[in-house]
Amino acid sequence: LRSPAAAPDRLPFSRITQGDLDFFRKILPGRVITDPDLLESSNVDWLKSVRGSSELLLRPQTTEEVSQILKYCNSRNLAVNPQGGNTGLVGGSVPVYDEIILSTALMNNILTFDSISGILTCQAGCVLENLSLYLEEKDYIMPLDLGAKGSCHIGGNVATNAGGLRLLRYGSLHGTVLGLEVVLGDGQVLDCLATLRKDNTGYDLKQLFIGSEGTLGVITAVSILCPRKPKSVNVVFLGCETFEQLLKTFQLCRGMLGEILSAYEFLDSEYCPFYVVIETSGSDPKHDGEKLHNFLEEAMTSSLVTDGTVATEDSKIKALWSMRERVTEALTHDGFTYKYDISLPVEKIYQLVTDMREHLGDRAKSVVGYGHVGDGNLHLNVTSPAKDPALLAAIEPFVYEWTARCHGSISAEHGLGLKKRNYIYYSKPSQAVALMGNIKAMLDPKGILNPYKTLPDNLK
Ligand code: FAD
Ligand code: S2G
Ligand code: ZN
């Protein structure tokens, strides 16, 4: 399950002793897992593409317990792999060797919600979908949504700076996260859990941990700004014959739907070359309906789009969204998927798919493109019946060099984890990567937090 190219040699961390187990059982009674069967699912990633050999899963419930764990592990030189919902796609969420898995699954309490400002504070282990359900009761929604919502934790979302389906409208977590509580590698609790929209007193430290993938600290609580639940939501599923038409439709959307546009996603397919999922979220069904009607009329008469379907009712909206959200799952049925999460200038995003198809010819089972058009974020997936080193060698570094030539990012929203860490230089200058290494060394001098992840090997 692990390609030798991905896994570096085990670093000289200590191995777990009986004394360690006694210590953890004292501070976490009943929440220290050593049974290999129970550990199995935490040792393998969602894609079943990487597997660790951790012998110990810890399930703290409080920040204080996380602090005690890290203080102890730091003193014993024991490596720790923070884990949320384990839906990450770059091998960051599971151990490479026998790192201790520190799960946030039992840190799932909502702490406060201010219904005037829409500011929520909660523990890191809250499942995204549960937070959405809690907020919808209060006429609010989460500012992010992704296909993994049923399993991913908000702490994992922040640690990976997850983008998702609503970024076009509500922005990135770098904007919506107002504060974080983080436990550092030595057990220090960094309380940056502010609930203020504005605070310019010194460096904005929380930003360091957003997207740090468990390598700089364990996020234990999050404060996040949540938007009001829109009174009127429409989802449109339309066909487009060419990618140029898809881009023109996007421009038309922005012009005619303006402030109510909340998502513009695409998928390619054999039947109709492209489908777009367009969502509007507004406060006045009549006003929104008129705008949407005018847009559709214009798009149809200028034959930018072929026929499609409109959903205004909740269950139909969910059904249309699942066509987009379940592409990841669908692709797993092809066998093995080589996944590339690329940011590019939006007009180029599909060029990479067509170039890759031409480059691979019949060596791949399928070459699929879909993703977040509004964010210039392509999900390029190449599938084959089984793992195929020759196919991988044809894909990489071709895909990274192509991306670098367009000054794109080789990881738009999923992070670098284990799988992509050594390709960081295609998107970041070495001076920036060196500075990242200095920050890592300052915050986690023993390197016990999620070793082998995010930063390239030669920095270790
Ligand atoms: P995990 O997978 O458990 O961990 C991910 C990383 O964060 C690891 O490096 C881990 O060590 C670290 N981590 C986890 N919790 C903490 C914590 N409390 N403190 C510090 N570090 C921590 N991603 C997107 O960005 N956009 C999408 O649209 C999207 N769609 C997806 C759809 C599907 C079907 C699937 C399976 C995944 C999708 N993802 C997407 C990827 C994944 O869901 C996100 O990266 C998500 O944010 C991971 O959250 P998690 O709780 O599962 O974290
Ligand atoms: C999405 C999920 C991961 C993938 O669906 O937006 O982020 O590449 C992706 O399938
Ligand atoms: Zn995505």
Side-chain angles (χ1 to χ4, degrees):
L1 267 172
R2 186 191 303 135
S3 49
D9 297 337
R10 185 184 185 281
L11 291 170
F13 296 113
S14 308
R15 302 224 181 233
I16 296 165
T17 63
Q18 187 54 49
D20 298 331
L21 292 177
D22 295 344
F23 172 81
F24 292 126
R25 284 184 176 124
K26 205 157 85 253
I27 65 163
L28 306 169
R31 292 177 280 125
V32 173
I33 318 294
T34 53
D35 175 339
D37 294 341
L38 294 178
L39 272 157
E40 171 60 17
S41 62
S42 302
N43 263 311
V44 186
D45 72 327
W46 188 90
L47 289 167
K48 306 270 181 289
S49 62
V50 282
R51 177 198 300 278
S53 51
S54 180
E55 297 158 354
L56 180 59
L57 166 66
L58 302 178
R59 296 159 65 93
Q61 288 170 320
T62 65
T63 303
E64 180 47 33
E65 287 176 348
V66 173
S67 169
Q68 288 176 302
I69 291 168
L70 291 180
K71 186 163 178 241
Y72 181 84
C73 289
N74 196 51
S75 68
R76 277 275 297 120
N77 197 29
L78 288 165
V80 176
N81 188 137
Q83 191 176 82
N86 196 11
T87 66
L89 297 162
V90 289
S93 58
V94 295
V96 177
Y97 293 101
D98 56 337
E99 299 90 280
I100 295 170
I101 300 168
L102 190 161
S103 165
T104 54
L106 298 183
M107 299 179 75
N108 55 4
N109 293 308
I110 288 171
L111 302 172
T112 63
F113 178 66
D114 176 337
S115 59
I116 298 173
S117 63
I119 295 171
L120 170 81
T121 61
C122 63
Q123 283 191 298
C126 288
V127 171
L128 181 59
E129 192 163 46
N130 294 344
L131 292 175
S132 297
L133 294 171
Y134 168 84
L135 286 170
E136 287 186 11
E137 290 289 303
K138 300 176 179 306
D139 236 4
Y140 280 85
I141 57 171
M142 284 300 279
L144 76 159
D145 184 26
L146 44 144
K149 70 191 100 182
S151 308
C152 62
H153 297 182
I154 189 66
N157 295 152
V158 174
T160 56
N161 185 24
L165 305 162
R166 289 182 181 159
L167 189 135
L168 177 65
R169 173 64 170 276
Y170 300 112
S172 114
L173 289 172
H174 281 291
T176 51
V177 170
L178 300 178
L180 292 176
E181 181 190 67
V182 183
V183 182
L184 304 180
D186 62 2
Q188 258 191 86
V189 178
L190 181 64
D191 179 1
C192 294
L193 199 62
T195 53
L196 302 168
R197 293 263 343 235
K198 299 168 98 167
D199 172 11
N200 257 347
T201 51
Y203 304 137
D204 189 0
L205 293 177
K206 69 172 180 300
Q207 297 297 351
L208 266 180
F209 300 96
I210 300 173
S212 61
E213 299 183 77
T215 59
L216 299 182
V218 175
I219 296 162
T220 45
V222 177
S223 142
I224 189 164
L225 179 65
C226 304
R228 285 304 294 261
K229 181 180 175 188
K231 288 192 175 54
S232 129
V233 177
N234 297 289
V235 171
V236 181
F237 196 83
L238 296 169
C240 278
E241 289 301 321
T242 69
F243 201 71
E244 288 63 38
Q245 285 178 336
L246 187 147
L247 289 176
K248 286 202 179 92
T249 308
F250 178 48
Q251 285 172 298
L252 192 65
C253 261
R254 300 202 82 156
M256 297 187 75
L257 299 175
E259 77 293 349
I260 65 171
L261 178 64
S262 51
Y264 192 91
E265 297 282 320
F266 93 101
L267 39 154
D268 64 6
S269 98
E270 305 81 57
Y271 316 109
C272 168
F274 298 99
Y275 287 106
V276 287
V277 183
I278 303 170
E279 180 189 74
T280 67
S281 303
S283 56
D284 177 343
K286 188 171 166 307
H287 164 265
D288 296 4
E290 271 163 25
K291 276 176 115 159
L292 189 59
H293 173 80
N294 296 340
F295 158 72
L296 287 170
E297 200 167 52
E298 175 61 29
M300 295 283 186
T301 47
S302 43
S303 31
L304 282 179
V305 296
T306 54
D307 65 338
T309 179
V310 182
T312 50
E313 201 262 309
D314 215 26
S315 60
K316 287 216 179 55
I317 285 176
K318 280 197 170 54
L320 284 182
W321 266 122
S322 70
M323 306 264 275
R324 165 64 186 85
E325 291 178 0
R326 298 187 62 185
V327 171
T328 311
E329 183 193 331
L331 286 167
T332 58
H333 298 295
D334 249 18
F336 195 85
T337 20
Y338 292 96
K339 301 178 88 64
Y340 301 91
D341 160 37
I342 305 285
S343 270
L344 286 166
V346 67
E347 68 280 3
K348 289 192 183 300
I349 61 176
Y350 207 71
Q351 184 66 48
L352 176 51
V353 182
T354 47
D355 283 7
M356 182 61 82
R357 271 197 193 121
E358 200 182 312
H359 174 69
L360 295 179
D362 59 5
R363 286 178 281 186
K365 182 169 184 182
S366 58
V367 179
V368 176
Y370 59 100
H372 319 280
V373 179
D375 315 342
N377 180 186
L378 166 72
H379 291 307
L380 167 68
N381 281 234
V382 179
T383 70
S384 77
K387 243 180 161 176
D388 175 349
L391 176 58
L392 178 62
I395 302 169
E396 296 179 18
F398 176 89
V399 64
Y400 297 130
E401 287 164 351
W402 200 104
T403 302
R405 275 198 304 277
C406 298
H407 307 294
S409 166
I410 56 118
S411 184
E413 59 177 8
H414 297 159
L416 295 168
L418 168 72
K419 296 182 183 173
K420 314 264 174 163
R421 75 198 188 288
N422 287 321
Y423 306 122
I424 190 169
Y425 294 107
Y426 284 104
S427 297
K428 284 288 177 321
S430 44
Q431 174 239 18
V433 179
L435 186 54
M436 293 180 202
N438 296 343
I439 292 169
K440 165 75 176 176
M442 179 190 68
L443 286 170
D444 177 24
K446 288 194 170 178
I448 64 164
L449 289 174
N450 229 3
Y452 322 112
K453 312 282 178 64
T454 312
L455 293 181
D457 272 343
N458 54 25
L459 253 182
K460 291 286 176 274

